[in-house]
Amino acid sequence: MTFPAVRIPEQPKRPTLEGNVAVRDGRRLSFAEYGSPRGPALVWMHGTPGARRQIPVDARRYAEEAGIRIIGIDRPGIGSSTPHLYPNILDWTEDLVLLLEALAIEDLSVVGLSGGGPYALAAGVALPDRVHGVGVLGGVAPTRGADAADGGPIQLAVHAAPLISAARVPLGVALTGVIRGVKPLAGPALDLYAAVQPPGDKTLLGRPEFKAMFLDDLLNGSRFQTSAPLSDLVLFTRDWGFRLEDVKVPVRWWHGDDDHIVPFRHGQHCVERLPDATMTVIDGESHLGGLGVAKQVMDELIGLRPAAGSGE
């Protein structure tokens, strides 16, 4: 009996630099770097779930061509980053400062996909003199306080927050075990997930380079631990430690109008409350649509940097 050959996507090119940086309390954050080591820096915050390699192949290639330095950062509890639950999202920026110092980065732009959006906004609040612009791709909206957006799947996390917080560590261990157990079936599992997604995400996940990127990121990031997504859910349901009106740096927001995970109206809600923000609607796209316009995102953010010799 013969079986049809299974086409395995070509593995994405490895990062130009990958390692760990010491941060507060004896912890470490792991990172991956792509593109030009001497170019303008762009920190890329992964989604939930995700890890440091969750950066589109198109973005990596364009970084090399355009001389841009992209740094993906693992949040605590994924990859080689030490597990840790911040008191709020703003607190993570103190670790970011230490990572930037270790990598000799003076100024930067920040991109956040989905669950990475709040972290990118926090960087704009904490480092207004160093962050030239923030890009948010289908970012999560606040669930507490005056900025809270109602409805959407995130409300499930709001109701389950006490349980998730109390059982975060054992749940993380169990999740890691599940991922390890299904590792040989990761490709077909991703295909099954894609099959039940809206057309936009289904098309994107059907592209070999995106499928390879997601598989590489998931399997590499979860080799040792998988508590970061649970910590994210806890922090999303808390006060973030800042208001949207505190984000004074320019924000460029991209959101698919068919987003089934973070409703499009949540993006509109946030943009209306940010002091300097514009919304780009990705027509017909769902939650991952921002990954398909990576070049546009990078061009927009790098364009916000002051011209050389301007003195700003």
Side-chain angles (χ1 to χ4, degrees):
M1 180 181 295
T2 60
F3 296 92
V6 177
R7 185 175 183 274
I8 301 175
E10 181 181 353
Q11 290 299 303
K13 185 178 179 181
R14 290 180 60 85
T16 54
L17 179 66
E18 200 165 26
N20 302 298
V21 168
V23 291
R24 296 171 293 167
D25 306 320
R27 295 179 290 106
R28 64 180 181 272
L29 286 183
S30 42
F31 71 94
E33 185 172 311
Y34 300 90
S36 170
R38 291 175 294 278
L42 190 153
V43 166
W44 193 291
M45 299 304 298
H46 61 76
T48 305
R52 62 185 181 269
R53 295 186 182 182
Q54 196 185 70
I55 300 173
V57 173
D58 290 349
R60 305 178 192 187
R61 186 180 302 116
Y62 184 61
E64 294 179 355
E65 296 170 354
I68 299 171
R69 182 184 186 186
I70 302 182
I71 301 97
I73 304 174
D74 281 333
R75 290 197 279 281
I78 197 72
S80 301
S81 290
T82 309
H84 177 68
L85 180 63
Y86 295 112
N88 54 50
I89 289 174
L90 184 63
D91 187 67
W92 98 275
T93 60
E94 294 193 28
D95 285 347
L96 173 63
V97 168
L98 295 175
L99 184 140
L100 296 177
E101 290 176 357
L103 298 181
I105 296 173
E106 291 295 329
D107 58 332
L108 64 153
S109 305
V110 188
V111 174
L113 167 69
S114 185
Y119 293 90
L121 293 172
V125 173
L127 305 173
D129 297 330
R130 300 177 66 177
V131 173
H132 297 301
V134 173
V136 179
L137 314 179
V140 171
T143 61
R144 300 289 183 188
D147 290 328
D150 63 343
I154 189 64
Q155 292 302 317
L156 296 175
V158 172
H159 296 305
L163 174 62
I164 296 173
S165 183
R168 182 175 55 89
V169 174
L171 283 174
V173 172
L175 184 57
T176 303
V178 168
I179 293 176
R180 287 175 178 171
V182 302
K183 182 176 180 179
L185 303 174
L190 185 60
D191 290 338
L192 287 175
Y193 174 80
V196 298
Q197 299 310 297
D201 281 5
K202 182 184 297 185
T203 299
L204 186 142
L205 290 169
R207 291 169 55 180
E209 71 275 19
F210 275 96
K211 179 178 180 180
M213 181 271 289
F214 278 113
L215 290 175
D216 175 60
D217 179 64
L218 173 65
L219 298 179
N220 178 73
S222 62
R223 282 187 301 168
F224 307 114
Q225 54 185 340
T226 322
S227 64
L230 301 171
S231 296
D232 276 354
L233 292 178
V234 171
L235 292 179
F236 297 158
T237 63
R238 292 180 178 176
D239 185 288
W240 289 1
F242 64 93
R243 293 281 304 279
L244 293 177
E245 66 183 16
D246 299 328
V247 188
K248 307 299 186 184
V249 302
V251 177
R252 301 295 178 260
W253 195 294
W254 286 261
H255 214 117
D257 59 6
D258 193 30
D259 196 323
H260 63 305
I261 295 179
V262 179
F264 177 70
R265 59 186 175 81
H266 281 201
Q268 293 175 307
H269 172 92
C270 290
V271 169
E272 289 171 358
R273 287 159 176 76
L274 290 162
D276 181 2
T278 61
M279 165 73 82
T280 298
V281 181
I282 314 176
D283 293 329
E285 293 293 338
S286 187
H287 191 56
L288 300 177
L291 295 179
V293 293
K295 181 180 180 296
Q296 177 187 341
V297 171
M298 295 166 69
D299 280 343
E300 184 89 16
L301 292 179
I302 296 302
L304 294 173
R305 294 174 58 86
S310 67
E312 294 184 24

